[in-house]
Amino acid sequence: MASSKLFMQRWSPLLRDHFTKRPILPYSQRYYTKKISHIRKAPSHSLKYTLGSMVIVGTTGTLLYATNNPFRRVIQAIERSGISAGVGISVAIDYKWTLSQNYSSVEEEIKAKRECDKRCAERVLAGLQRLGGIYVKLGQHISAMTYILPMEWTSTMEVLQDRCDPSSPDDIEALFLSDYGSSIEDTFEEFDWNPLGVASLAQVHKARLRPFADGSYEGNDGWVAVKLQHPRLDNFCKVDLATVSFLMGNVKRFFPDFGFDWLVQEMQESLPQELNFVHEAANVHKVTHNFAKERAQHTTALVIPGIVRAQRRVMLMEFMEGARIDDLEYMKKHSIDPNSVSTEITKIFSKMIFLHGFLHCDPHAGNIFIRPSSNPKKTGYNFEIVLLDHGLYRTLTDELRTNYAHLWTSLIRGDEEGIRIYAQRVGCRPEAHRLFASLLTGREWDTIQASDLSSDRTNTEVTRVSGRAKNFLFRIADILARLPRVVLLLLKTSDLLRCLDETLRESVSRHMTFIIMGKYCAEAVWIEAKSTLLEKIAFSGFSLHFLRQFFCAWWEYQSLETSLWLYQTHISIQDRWSYGKRV
């Protein structure tokens, strides 16, 4: 009925004209002269339909967002992608504009570049904090790249190491019930809802397990650290990784010299492992096994919290008190010598790299605790080093491990030919060995060549090596883009350990770091040479030639070991005397 009425309204003038034999005007003229009133009425109907449609769509969307999880996740994913894309575009425009300007002097250009670095870093930081999850993890990677990125970037991102937003109690309780199979109330006698620490992927709470039927408690009197993955990561991890990958790909496309797309590739490999706490528990068991002999013989201060139970997103660990490894006031309060702590950290990680070939790749200050020893007379240490967060490990092949040991031996000696050979063997492109050596040690080539790695770094040297000079950054990026990813993590680990060492050690005892590293490098080289020679003897039979080779390899190792031990003893006595005077 309504449709026929509309038809008559639209076509009756034409019919009337035809039957009354009135002159027929052109349709356009007739429309605008005779049907003005019709034109004025039409928008009212369209407006009603439009407003009605908007109300229906808006109401439907709101209801779906509130009640339909998949729909809500799609909308949130689109929103997150839009935020990250917006930040990426604004940063690219800012850099493009800054670098395209003409400056009256080099100093003005450097100042403008640093101001742009700071603006962009703060813009990215705000976006990362708003998005959370893997974006915060990306920011943490950036903050650790002090060996290459400008200070404006690394210092701005440092806040992400320890200041992340916690998940809500409701979300945590739902996740625990889903993954663990029982509620928090049924599992724990006590549970502190205020997290001990919040990281980009998880947060940790202190809790006490319920006692057994006989009233006894499991482990450390029932006290455990409960590590809980942020529930939102399951919803957005894949989308966020895809978005970051897309943005990095476009940056690479528009800026061909951009050489940091490997960072996304590393995250794509590392994140699935870090997001699976069963994998982390396996890492804990392996590293505990690797140091079992030292622990039994009381020759290490390393302590690793035991795993009570582990699910993919929930893990219960032995609870251990302690302070951050860079808390010098805490050490002073408990009469712990920072130099001795740094020495022990160097030993622990040198064994991981050069002897075990199984390396904790995230040793920043938030992942290492220091605490007084429970039995200093028995262990010989008045402190214990508690190593946390075992999600990111890498296994080094025997070939890479021994080549890396040869490389560091050459670096300590200032042997350029050895550096060139073994830098290539670990993946560095030809003729880039000098710059690669600077990245690895944090020192200028002149310092390396002079065998003076233990000297203090000047501000000028730090500035040059960190890649702030124009065009230096692109050369470094080219080197990093060609390296195997495991070597990139070795670079990152070396830089984090160097930062810890510079925080803890006094200038006078800096020689100790490279003495210890040299000692374990020599041991790794000797083990490899001995194994190779024994295989040759087993295959070809005993000969004086092999015996001579064996004796030469043994003598080189023993002479280096003895000289390093004598020098280490001398430095240790100096350190203790110096520390005694300060106390």
Side-chain angles (χ1 to χ4, degrees), residues 280-292 294-295 300-308 315-320 348-349 352 356 358 360 367-369 371 384-391 393:
E280 181 173 349
N283 289 341
V284 170
H285 293 313
K286 185 169 182 178
V287 74
T288 301
H289 172 76
N290 288 346
F291 284 92
E294 289 92 334
R295 287 293 299 165
T300 182
L302 177 65
V303 176
I304 298 170
I307 302 297
V308 179
M315 184 165 66
L316 276 57
M317 303 166 287
E318 181 184 1
F319 178 78
M320 292 186 177
I348 290 166
F349 280 89
M352 285 185 178
H356 303 158
F358 188 64
H360 186 300
N367 282 342
I368 308 176
F369 278 5
R371 67 178 190 176
E384 290 179 335
I385 294 171
V386 182
L387 188 59
L388 306 171
D389 196 354
H390 300 268
Y393 273 75

Side-chain angles (χ1 to χ4, degrees), residues 139-197:
Q140 290 174 345
H141 276 294
I142 293 171
S143 73
M145 294 171 68
T146 55
Y147 54 91
I148 177 173
L149 292 180
M151 182 180 66
E152 288 76 16
W153 276 93
T154 57
S155 61
T156 301
M157 297 297 163
E158 277 180 354
V159 298
L160 297 175
Q161 292 292 356
D162 299 300
R163 303 175 193 172
C164 301
D165 293 330
S167 295
S168 69
D170 289 343
D171 287 343
I172 287 298
E173 195 160 12
L175 179 139
F176 189 88
L177 180 61
S178 169
D179 284 39
Y180 203 75
S182 63
S183 67
I184 288 177
E185 184 179 354
D186 291 338
T187 306
F188 301 108
E189 187 177 67
E190 296 181 42
F191 188 90
D192 188 353
W193 286 100
N194 293 317
L196 296 170

Side-chain angles (χ1 to χ4, degrees), residues 243-254 258 261 264:
T243 304
V244 173
S245 180
F246 173 77
L247 290 174
M248 288 288 193
N250 279 286
V251 171
K252 179 76 174 178
R253 185 173 155 197
F254 291 108
F258 180 81
D261 45 325
V264 178

Side-chain angles (χ1 to χ4, degrees), residues 526-578:
W526 159 241
I527 291 171
E528 186 259 346
K530 180 175 66 173
S531 175
T532 302
L533 285 169
L534 289 175
E535 284 179 7
K536 288 181 178 179
I537 291 171
F539 181 76
S540 303
F542 180 80
S543 70
L544 289 176
H545 174 69
F546 286 149
L547 180 63
R548 186 166 57 251
Q549 281 187 319
F550 188 89
F551 178 77
C552 288
W554 175 83
W555 177 253
E556 183 178 358
Y557 164 65
Q558 286 297 331
S559 58
L560 181 59
E561 175 84 0
T562 302
S563 61
L564 289 172
W565 179 81
L566 288 171
Y567 194 52
Q568 180 180 347
T569 303
H570 171 69
I571 295 295
S572 295
I573 292 170
Q574 276 190 331
D575 282 349
R576 289 176 185 175
W577 181 77
S578 175

